[in-house]
Amino acid sequence: MKLTIPQAKICQDTNRFRVVIAGRRFGKTFLATRELARFARWPDQKVFYIAPSYRQAKQILWEPLKTKMLELNWVERINESDLTVYLINGSQISLRSADNFDSMRGVGLNFVVFDEFADMDPRVWTEVIRPALSDKQGHALFIGTPKGKANWSYDIFQNAIVTGK
C-alpha cells in the first residue's frame, strides 16, 4: 500500500503504542487499514478497529477494509453482521464501537486501532483494551483529529511526546 512520507514515518515507528493527531484528509483511514493488515498478516492474530460508535466504524472502515483484504486474497470469510473479516491464516479483523465498551471485555488482542479516540470514554482504553493487549504484548495505534486540550487524547499525545513512546 503506497504511503505518504508522514504515513510511512508512522508505520516505521517501532513503539508499542503510537499516537497520531492529524487533520482531515491526512489519510487516517488508509493508514488504519494498512496497519490492521500489517498486524493481521501473522497467523492467528486478533485485531480490532474501534470507533466511537458502531455506525462510524461501519461507515468509515468496513468497505475499505473488505476491499483491501479481498484484493490481497487473504479472506476466508466475511461476517457482515459482526463486522469481522476472517483471514485464511486464522487471523481476524473486527470493527467495534466504544459506545458499548464492556462488550469487549475478556478478549485477548494483538493490535488495536482507536479512531477518533478523543470522542471515546477513556475507560475503553484503561479498563478494557489495555488489559486485553497485556498478555500478548499487543500494540495500539491511536488516531484522531485535533480536539483541543480538554480531553484524554491531549494527555496521551503529550505523554507520547515527553516519553517518546
Side-chain angles (χ1 to χ4, degrees):
M1 296 174 76
K2 183 79 170 140
L3 300 169
T4 65
I5 293 171
Q7 289 169 335
K9 185 176 178 181
I10 293 162
C11 291
Q12 292 164 2
D13 188 310
T14 59
N15 285 303
R16 187 170 168 214
F17 305 129
R18 297 170 289 159
V19 182
V20 177
I21 304 295
R24 297 178 72 176
R25 311 309 309 155
F26 175 83
K28 295 183 294 294
T29 301
F30 182 82
L31 179 64
T33 303
R34 192 249 188 219
E35 289 298 276
L36 290 164
R38 183 168 76 103
F39 278 88
R41 77 186 189 277
W42 303 111
D44 303 315
Q45 302 295 294
K46 191 166 235 24
V47 175
F48 276 9
Y49 167 87
I50 303 171
S53 72
Y54 176 84
R55 183 178 181 150
Q56 282 177 299
K58 190 171 183 178
Q59 282 181 329
I60 294 168
L61 196 78
W62 188 233
E63 290 304 321
L65 176 66
K66 290 188 305 181
T67 300
K68 180 47 69 180
M69 294 302 104
L70 289 166
E71 284 174 4
L72 293 170
N73 293 315
W74 288 7
V75 176
E76 178 182 302
R77 66 186 164 93
I78 296 172
N79 185 324
E80 291 285 343
S81 61
D82 189 44
L83 300 183
T84 298
V85 178
Y86 294 88
L87 305 182
I88 57 175
N89 68 357
S91 292
Q92 300 172 25
I93 303 174
S94 301
L95 277 58
R96 296 293 182 254
S97 70
D99 55 2
N100 185 15
F101 59 86
D102 281 331
S103 68
M104 294 183 280
R105 289 185 187 274
V107 177
L109 296 171
N110 302 95
F111 179 66
V112 64
V113 171
F114 284 94
D115 194 358
E116 295 300 345
F117 67 103
D119 297 331
M120 299 178 194
D121 185 320
R123 294 177 297 165
V124 71
W125 169 244
T126 59
E127 295 179 15
V128 179
I129 300 302
R130 179 68 175 91
L133 293 168
S134 294
D135 61 330
K136 297 182 179 193
Q137 290 298 296
H139 292 243
L141 174 63
F142 297 86
I143 57 177
T145 52
K147 301 277 182 170
K149 296 181 180 181
N151 58 64
W152 71 289
S153 68
Y154 179 79
D155 297 336
I156 286 180
F157 183 73
Q158 287 302 312
N159 185 53
I161 290 171
V162 172
T163 64
K165 296 180 180 180

